[in-house]
Amino acid sequence: MTRFFGLRGNSLNIAAILGVLMPGILTTGYNASSLGGVLDLKNFEEQFPEIDLDTSANRSYASTIQGIVVAAYPIGVFFGTLSCIWLGDRFGRRRTIMAGSVIQAIGSVLMASACFLSMLIASRIVLGFGTGVLLATIPLWQSEISPANKRGAHVGMKGIFSGLGCALSLFLDYGMSFTRGSVSWRFPFAFVVLLSLAVLVFIIFLPESPRWLIRQGRIAEASEVLAALEDTSVDDESVQSQVRDVQTSLDLAGKKSLGQIFHMGPQKTFHRAMLAVAAMLFLQLTGSTVITFYTTAIFEKNLHLGNSTSTVLAAVYQLVGPIGGVFCVLKIEGLGRRVLLLGSAIGNAVCLALVAALGTQSDNPMAMRGAVFFIFLFHFSYIIGFGAIPYLYATEISPLHLRTTINSFSISSSWAVSILVTTVTPIAFNAMGQTYFVIFAGCNAAMVPLIYYLLPETSGRSLEEMDKIFALSGGVLDVVKVARLLPHGKPLDISSEKDGGLNFKRPELELREVHSP
């Protein structure tokens, strides 16, 4: 068979998006919503009576057990993403994605065949582990094979596919709810096997990350991949220039060690790691995780809507995600990452504050409709900024030699918070009702100044240009200014000293170049 299906240039990138990014991210959205859509099914409650809130003699205890069952999935995701710190660089992006898809398929089969509570919890951990591997690796792989001017749009499609995955899960749950017996929830759990197999099949025939290949010393193979991605020859200057930039970045970094994350060095590694972690933590603190895992329950138990209405609304709610995702893809390069994140945080804060205020008026039908409207509007607001950008940003902000490590560490940190949030949410809803959302409204409001002053713009920058931006920055608050003033497309300018050290030009001299005639 012809290598890469005989595809080159933009066609090869489209194949990567449709063959790997789409089914891989569909599974992350699907798995996040699949349990929420069956929690109130009669047969599911009969199979696992420990989490049935309606018939439990101790509602508080049942809420705690339900939180543990839901949290088992993010626990698995946490360990899956954390494992990529070692797996991603050792085995490469493609083989890591293959492993993640196989583990996810195994978890799906185990979950579909669960007969008692402990098996359900264990299967969700296995499922989450596989999903975590995919979540930590697929956006990273996509960012490393995409051209700089399209990287944001390509990885930004995560928001579209994640929303479609959530909607697919809930619509399938709704359709299967009309069937009898355990097939109503076992089939939806097993469905993710098909998506996992699609990822496994396509990634076999698609290219490895050229940056990982260069790091392994496989220069000729990396040049071939870059030439295929740009639809040019191996000897083309643009290909050779990219190879040189990656090699320069690796030379600057020196030998990789995990401890480098906690040191600044010439590439400001610790600073960049903390920004990647912050972006991913912001995502979890938006409140989206709460609504994604408990959408149906929020509509039914907190907004007092019927079961059938709640299930349909939950599915339609997830369809708002792709609409916001399309907006993100179209505007991410023009408006930039910062503008979308800022707009998203502000919109999230306003929507959740109104949901909290209106949702407490259970005897007012108009207030209930208003709460539903602002939950939908929140989802659009969330997706345009936080649906995909944090995953993209974590890869863009990280130096090559530690990109997998920082990316995996930041995502696993995010899911560690998700474990806490999903565990306490049933308890919090039971005690606080809709006022629980006030906490997340405050978190979103607090993000606005942090994003504005701390997160530099990465739009249109090559992954190697980000090395220079941080090297030229004098302090934590300086990097946003440097990113704004430094011209795009400037190659790394490193001069060797007598002692073999590496020096960048002084920041004040570099920035003066921007304003010189």
Side-chain angles (χ1 to χ4, degrees), residues 390-473:
Y391 290 93
L392 169 66
Y393 201 82
T395 64
E396 291 181 321
I397 213 76
S398 306
L400 174 60
H401 71 300
L402 288 169
R403 186 163 294 145
T404 302
T405 302
I406 292 176
N407 182 62
S408 301
F409 180 71
S410 63
I411 297 175
S412 61
S413 299
S414 170
W415 281 89
V417 175
S418 176
I419 294 168
L420 174 63
V421 170
T422 52
T423 302
V424 304
T425 289
I427 303 169
F429 271 139
N430 192 42
M432 301 173 61
Q434 294 302 107
T435 55
Y436 180 46
F437 286 115
V438 171
I439 297 172
F440 295 103
C443 289
N444 279 281
M447 293 175 200
V448 175
L450 295 175
I451 293 170
Y452 184 82
Y453 288 108
L454 298 180
L455 301 189
E457 183 57 67
T458 59
S459 177
R461 299 284 187 184
S462 71
L463 297 176
E464 286 66 48
E465 273 184 282
M466 296 308 300
D467 291 330
K468 186 170 189 178
I469 288 172
F470 278 92
L472 293 174
S473 302

Side-chain angles (χ1 to χ4, degrees), residues 16-30:
I17 291 169
L18 297 180
V20 177
L21 183 69
M22 182 177 72
I25 299 305
L26 278 174
T27 63
T28 65
Y30 187 98

Side-chain angles (χ1 to χ4, degrees), residues 245-268:
D245 279 351
V246 173
Q247 289 175 319
T248 300
S249 178
L250 290 172
D251 290 340
L252 176 64
K255 187 176 180 180
K256 173 193 171 182
S257 69
L258 187 60
Q260 284 180 304
I261 291 182
F262 305 102
H263 295 85
M264 292 295 277
Q267 289 188 319
K268 308 293 193 301

